[in-house]
Amino acid sequence: MRYVIIGASAAGCKAAETLRRYAPNSPITVISEEARPLYSRPLLTYLLSREVAPEKVWLKGEDYFRQWNFDPVLGEPVVRVDPGAHAVHLLGGRHLPYDRLLIASGARPRLLGLKGEELSGVYTLRTLADWQRLAAGLPQAGRVVVVGAGAVGLKTADALARRGLSVTLVARGAQPLSRVLDPYAAALLHAAITRMGIEIIYHAWPEAIWGEAGRVRALTLNDGREIPCQAVLFSIGVAPNVEFLAGTDLATADGITVDHQLATADPHIFAAGDCAHPYHLLTGKRAGYHIWPAAVAQGRVAGANLAGAGLTYDGLLPQNSLTLRGFHIITGGLGPLDAQGCDTVSQLDEPRGHYRSLIYREGKLVGLTLVGAVEDAGIYFQLMAQQLPVAGPVQPGRLWG
Ligand SMILES: Cc1cc2nc3c(=O)[nH]c(=O)nc-3n(C[C@H](O)[C@H](O)[C@H](O)COP(=O)(O)OP(=O)(O)OC[C@H]3O[C@@H](n4cnc5c(N)ncnc54)[C@H](O)[C@@H]3O)c2cc1C
């Protein structure tokens, strides 16, 4: 069997390592368009803030591919997958035949397609190359506008503020982390962001970016307000890297459609990680939720299934952990918007700035938000992941304090 894996990050590497155990002697080719993959994307914001030294970002040594007897193809993107011919085409013109293919090509930041996005000083942060561009191009002082108040946008805003820059955060919704937080948790997070000296504007989105001599000088919001700034960083979510599947029926705009074995509509092709569109553990519906542990878990199942192990992926369990200068927030499972018909038990400790909200459905924990005191998160995630029955809605106090 010839195995080919597109992607050498959380999902691709976990899949390749798992597959090697099932297929000790088979050729496994691992492709990455990045010249040196195998680094931690979650650490990129810490590189940006200079809290972590650049050499700490590497997850594997330079001899990783040799150690595992993988055949690496690095620094060359895949431009087409031909399922009929069982071949992967590279930009340079080569094509690689496969018997089983795993696509673990991840995702890339979305942009809005605005006038001015091509200007120098407009950034996204997904890759080490993005960080290098930011580190080289950011001004020493001045204002940066961060568009998007999701987890990555918040961490990036914090990092830029730590570099001594003035930061304006632009949020389309009425609160930060609007997909996952209820208004109580959001109010505590808002207060923490404000304490960090970051300005946050809600119900806002950019309509144009203005430049001078090719560099950003200002950004106009939907309400007509113009914010003078030296840089703009977009963090408005990601789109799956699936262009090379054009002409096949394997992917939609949400990603590559996979079943419970992480197989695609073509039984020779599997998908895992941010490029995939798998089932949600708690809703049973397909969902996109792009986090490192989910990519690793999917890589493990998909890697085994490339070798025919027939493992089942239980499903995506959303989880978010955010620490901003000593302010901790952990969420998981269903958010308040998905919790219709569920029982919610919440407890606010205002003086200490602690908040806990647990969501139950049919005697099982299906959602959680912890703010401030997050020590019990592990217990709650176990209850949720295994869908263990609890004796009626647990009052937070029984597990807390
Ligand atoms: C700044 C930042 C902070 C984050 N923080 C967290 C966090 O705190 N917690 C958390 O859980 N998650 C976090 N994430 C998300 C997490 O990094 C992703 O969910 C994870 O990297 C997904 O892994 P993946 O293997 O699916 O894809 P990726 O990591 O995107 O890797 C994709 C791989 O495919 C390769 N590739 C892509 N297209 C092609 C092509 N055409 N040809 C060849 N190779 C290709 C790439 O080079 C790469 O090797 C963060 C992400 C960012 C950007």
Side-chain angles (χ1 to χ4, degrees):
M1 279 273 190
R2 290 161 304 178
Y3 297 101
V4 172
I5 296 177
I6 304 173
S9 183
C13 289
K14 182 50 76 179
E17 291 165 18
T18 309
L19 174 61
R20 176 52 78 219
R21 297 199 171 91
Y22 283 84
N25 302 312
S26 300
I28 302 175
T29 301
V30 182
I31 309 172
S32 172
E33 65 182 356
E34 292 175 90
R36 187 165 173 206
L38 312 173
Y39 59 86
S40 166
R41 293 187 203 284
L43 279 187
L44 290 176
T45 53
Y46 299 92
L47 255 58
L48 189 60
S49 64
R50 303 194 186 101
E51 288 167 273
V52 163
E55 62 273 15
K56 298 275 189 237
V57 81
W58 302 109
L59 296 174
K60 313 275 182 186
E62 291 205 56
D63 59 347
Y64 169 77
F65 294 102
R66 194 189 47 76
Q67 270 178 354
W68 285 86
N69 191 22
F70 299 147
D71 303 317
V73 175
L74 302 180
E76 198 176 355
V78 169
V79 290
R80 191 162 72 89
V81 168
D82 183 343
H86 283 209
V88 169
H89 294 256
L90 300 170
L91 182 66
R94 266 194 307 159
H95 69 273
L96 306 173
Y98 64 81
D99 296 305
R100 294 286 180 280
L101 172 67
L102 173 69
I103 304 174
S105 52
R108 63 176 181 288
R110 288 182 196 275
L111 286 171
L112 292 171
L114 295 180
K115 174 181 159 48
E117 276 176 6
E118 72 294 345
L119 288 166
S120 163
V122 176
Y123 301 101
T124 55
L125 180 59
R126 176 78 189 184
T127 64
L128 208 51
D130 291 337
W131 165 72
Q132 282 160 341
R133 266 192 294 278
L134 272 155
L138 278 174
Q140 296 295 323
R143 181 161 299 278
V144 182
V145 176
V146 176
V147 182
V152 175
L154 291 167
K155 289 199 295 183
T156 308
D158 179 27
L160 293 168
R162 282 172 186 269
R163 287 178 76 102
L165 293 159
S166 304
V167 180
T168 299
L169 195 52
V170 170
R172 197 174 182 109
Q175 59 175 57
L177 289 182
S178 57
R179 277 173 60 196
V180 292
L181 292 188
D182 67 25
Y184 295 99
L188 292 171
L189 177 56
H190 172 88
I193 296 167
T194 309
R195 279 198 301 276
M196 287 156 53
I198 293 171
E199 176 193 29
I200 180 159
I201 306 176
Y202 297 110
H203 301 294
W205 56 92
E207 297 232 303
I209 304 166
W210 306 102
E212 203 171 280
R215 270 207 74 86
V216 169
R217 71 162 177 80
L219 171 142
T220 305
L221 294 179
N222 54 310
D223 61 7
R225 216 177 324 179
E226 189 173 295
I227 307 175
C229 57
Q230 283 66 51
V232 177
L233 193 144
F234 282 95
S235 184
I236 52 169
V238 294
N241 290 322
V242 293
E243 290 68 23
F244 48 78
L245 292 176
T248 74
D249 59 357
L250 301 181
T252 68
D254 293 320
I256 302 169
T257 309
V258 287
D259 65 13
H260 286 291
Q261 271 73 49
L262 301 179
T264 67
D266 179 326
H268 305 99
I269 304 179
F270 294 73
D274 283 8
C275 65
H277 198 215
Y279 289 104
H280 190 296
L281 178 75
L282 300 169
T283 65
K285 296 180 188 154
R286 288 184 201 286
Y289 201 82
H290 306 115
I291 49 171
W292 189 278
V296 170
Q298 290 168 33
R300 191 178 290 118
V301 170
N305 288 350
L306 284 169
L311 300 191
T312 297
Y313 176 61
D314 292 335
L316 268 177
L317 180 61
Q319 45 190 293
N320 227 306
S321 172
L322 185 66
T323 297
L324 298 169
R325 306 196 200 182
F327 176 85
H328 304 289
I329 193 157
I330 291 184
T331 63
L334 301 185
L337 302 177
D338 311 309
Q340 296 91 346
C342 300
D343 300 314
T344 302
V345 182
S346 304
Q347 191 178 37
L348 175 66
D349 177 348
E350 219 163 354
R352 288 199 287 173
H354 292 178
Y355 177 67
R356 176 164 305 204
S357 178
L358 304 175
I359 303 174
Y360 297 91
R361 187 180 62 195
E362 293 165 6
K364 292 172 182 162
L365 185 65
V366 291
L368 93 109
T369 301
L370 307 178
V371 182
V374 297
E375 300 75 26
D376 297 335
I379 303 169
Y380 290 126
F381 273 108
Q382 285 297 322
L383 288 172
M384 233 179 342
Q386 294 170 28
Q387 282 296 277
L388 298 172
V390 287
V394 175
Q395 292 302 320
R398 276 174 58 189
L399 286 169
W400 192 13

